[in-house]
Amino acid sequence: MFTPDDERFMRHALVLATKGRGRTSPNPMVGAVVVQHGRIVGEGYHARAGKPHAEVIALEHAGGAARNADLYVTLEPCGHYGRTPPCTDRIIQTGIRRVIVPTIDPNPLVSGRGVQRLRDAGIIVDLGLRSEDATDLNEAFIKFITRRTPFVVLKAAISLDGKIATRTGDARWVSGERSREHVHTLRDQIDAVIVGIGTVRRDNPRLTTRLPEGGRDPIRVVVDGLGPFPDDAQILQADAASRTWVAVAADAPAERIRALDRRGLTVLEAGGFRGRVSLEHLLKRLGEREITSVMIEGGEGIFTSAIEEGIVDKFLLFVAPILVGGKSAPSLFGGTGIEEIGQALRLARLRIEQLGEDVLIEGYPR
């Protein structure tokens, strides 16, 4: 059904789509290519929510050459009014002959309607080319638009014996420089990062994106255990406090909430009791604010709660070639643990990459 040229042009469209990574939320990443007689005459990608969609940019680039051409687009074109007009209308008006799409848009406002609108207008629509790649590209958007909660990445730097810090709490630095640089790239692409108040007190992190070419800082979400919030916390600095949110349990004292408000922090009242926040409920609160992706960065208590509550969609484990030891040294997954190996959480769809001396293991819970 699909030719080698179809494969080539769709691969190019997918590469274009990645140029919007970390910038399109709450929209998906989309790339589009207009092809006339085997030659690309127009291309584009969605750069930011509220900006023109990939199809519109590619068609404008193609101009009159779009008539009777083929359009390769990495997600079903929208057929409804949102922040921008329907892309299907523009495609029909320009006289496109054929549209090649990997997958239907999971958004209930779009799902299947865009394809049907094009077909009703006499345009050939072919579905399924590189659908797995297109789905992986927008895994965060797909979860958010279908469940209204963000896609959750758990990121941790661990030793060969599974420790995330020494028995004294020292965690600087478990991973190497290459791994830390990669984490800044991840922060540039994610909507929010989550840490516990213990991590703020112990490590005093900035949780910012520090890349040579600059970058975008994610929202910082601190899960509050009612412990003291240090006055010198770097996330409370003038340029950071406005983008720092604090999640509190349902029974958090009113004075505690007022004190956080006075410091310019956004307070999210999530479920949970006795100072322990329900992470599942927190995700719903974040989804209400159109946060489509989060990265949990520590520490042991938050990691353990996230795994036990079953909210993790992807694991990113930076394994350093060191041995830490110590029964009391914090590990990635604490709690009481399992009784039998058969109960262990197993990861699938593994990807392994070497970063300097470290090894990055990416996997999805089965």
Side-chain angles (χ1 to χ4, degrees):
M1 179 180 178
F2 296 111
T3 68
D5 278 348
D6 287 334
E7 289 274 354
R8 178 164 60 92
F9 294 131
M10 185 57 75
R11 282 198 304 270
H12 185 61
L14 287 164
V15 171
L16 286 172
T18 64
K19 292 184 176 183
R21 192 181 297 279
R23 303 297 184 270
T24 64
S25 179
N27 290 351
M29 290 174 277
V30 182
V33 176
V34 181
V35 176
Q36 181 71 268
H37 301 307
R39 184 173 64 89
I40 294 176
V41 295
E43 62 181 43
Y45 68 94
H46 183 45
R48 195 178 298 274
K51 296 293 185 180
H53 288 190
E55 304 95 310
V56 173
I57 296 172
L59 291 170
E60 287 181 353
H61 186 195
R67 182 158 297 279
N68 292 320
D70 294 344
L71 172 66
Y72 297 80
V73 58
T74 58
L75 191 66
E76 177 186 15
C78 64
H80 71 291
Y81 280 90
R83 289 184 171 95
T84 58
C87 291
T88 51
D89 291 358
R90 188 63 176 272
I91 294 170
I92 293 167
Q93 290 165 5
T94 54
I96 286 288
R97 178 188 73 88
R98 175 182 177 231
V99 176
I100 301 90
V101 182
T103 182
I104 295 295
D105 191 330
N107 185 345
L109 293 175
V110 180
S111 189
R113 293 184 178 91
V115 166
Q116 191 58 52
R117 175 87 175 90
L118 295 174
R119 285 175 171 165
D120 288 346
I123 296 173
I124 300 168
V125 180
D126 291 330
L127 292 169
L129 178 61
R130 303 195 75 85
S131 60
E132 187 173 330
D133 292 339
T135 299
D136 289 345
L137 174 70
N138 280 308
E139 59 188 5
F141 168 76
I142 291 170
K143 182 187 177 185
F144 172 75
I145 205 66
T146 56
R147 298 173 58 182
R148 306 308 297 184
T149 58
F151 186 86
V152 180
V153 177
L154 188 151
K155 183 278 297 180
I158 62 175
S159 64
L160 288 174
D161 52 345
K163 304 297 184 180
I164 60 174
T166 68
R167 61 182 173 80
T168 63
D170 180 23
R172 292 178 179 247
W173 298 97
V174 172
S175 59
E177 186 176 350
R178 284 280 305 281
S179 293
R180 297 196 297 274
E181 290 173 354
H182 189 70
V183 169
H184 287 291
T185 299
L186 294 171
R187 287 179 185 163
D188 180 60
Q189 299 171 355
I190 212 87
D191 285 352
V193 295
I194 297 177
V195 297
I197 186 66
T199 296
V200 173
R201 288 200 299 268
R202 183 181 61 251
D203 299 337
N204 196 12
R206 282 182 282 175
L207 301 176
T208 54
T209 297
R210 300 185 292 281
L211 296 170
E213 65 276 15
R216 170 187 142 278
D217 291 336
I219 296 289
R220 290 162 284 269
V221 181
V222 179
V223 178
D224 184 24
L226 299 182
F229 219 118
D231 291 331
D232 63 347
Q234 295 192 91
I235 59 174
L236 295 182
Q237 301 307 312
D239 61 341
S242 63
R243 289 179 60 80
T244 299
W245 302 350
V246 180
V248 300
D251 60 352
E255 177 51 37
R256 174 71 168 185
I257 295 175
R258 285 194 293 269
L260 294 170
D261 282 334
R262 286 195 294 269
R263 301 180 84 161
L265 302 169
T266 297
V267 180
L268 304 178
E269 296 187 44
F273 299 96
R274 294 192 293 275
R276 178 167 176 149
V277 173
S278 164
L279 296 182
E280 184 176 8
H281 199 269
L282 172 58
L283 292 183
K284 294 178 181 177
R285 286 285 178 262
L286 294 175
E288 291 167 359
R289 291 171 174 259
E290 292 195 326
I291 297 296
T292 66
S293 58
V294 300
M295 185 161 68
I296 299 176
E297 295 208 34
E300 181 184 26
I302 299 298
F303 287 153
T304 299
S305 294
I307 296 171
E308 288 180 342
E309 290 187 40
I311 66 168
V312 180
D313 297 300
K314 179 195 285 188
F315 287 84
L316 292 177
L317 305 179
F318 296 83
V319 184
I322 60 174
L323 295 169
V324 173
K327 291 183 178 179
S328 61
S331 60
L332 170 65
F333 189 12
T336 57
I338 60 174
E339 296 181 356
E340 300 176 1
I341 290 296
Q343 299 171 323
L345 173 64
R346 295 184 181 273
L347 303 186
R349 297 166 57 196
L350 296 177
R351 188 179 69 85
I352 300 174
E353 176 184 358
Q354 185 152 1
L355 295 171
E357 292 185 339
D358 302 336
V359 173
L360 169 59
I361 301 176
E362 173 186 302
Y364 298 79
R366 286 185 177 175

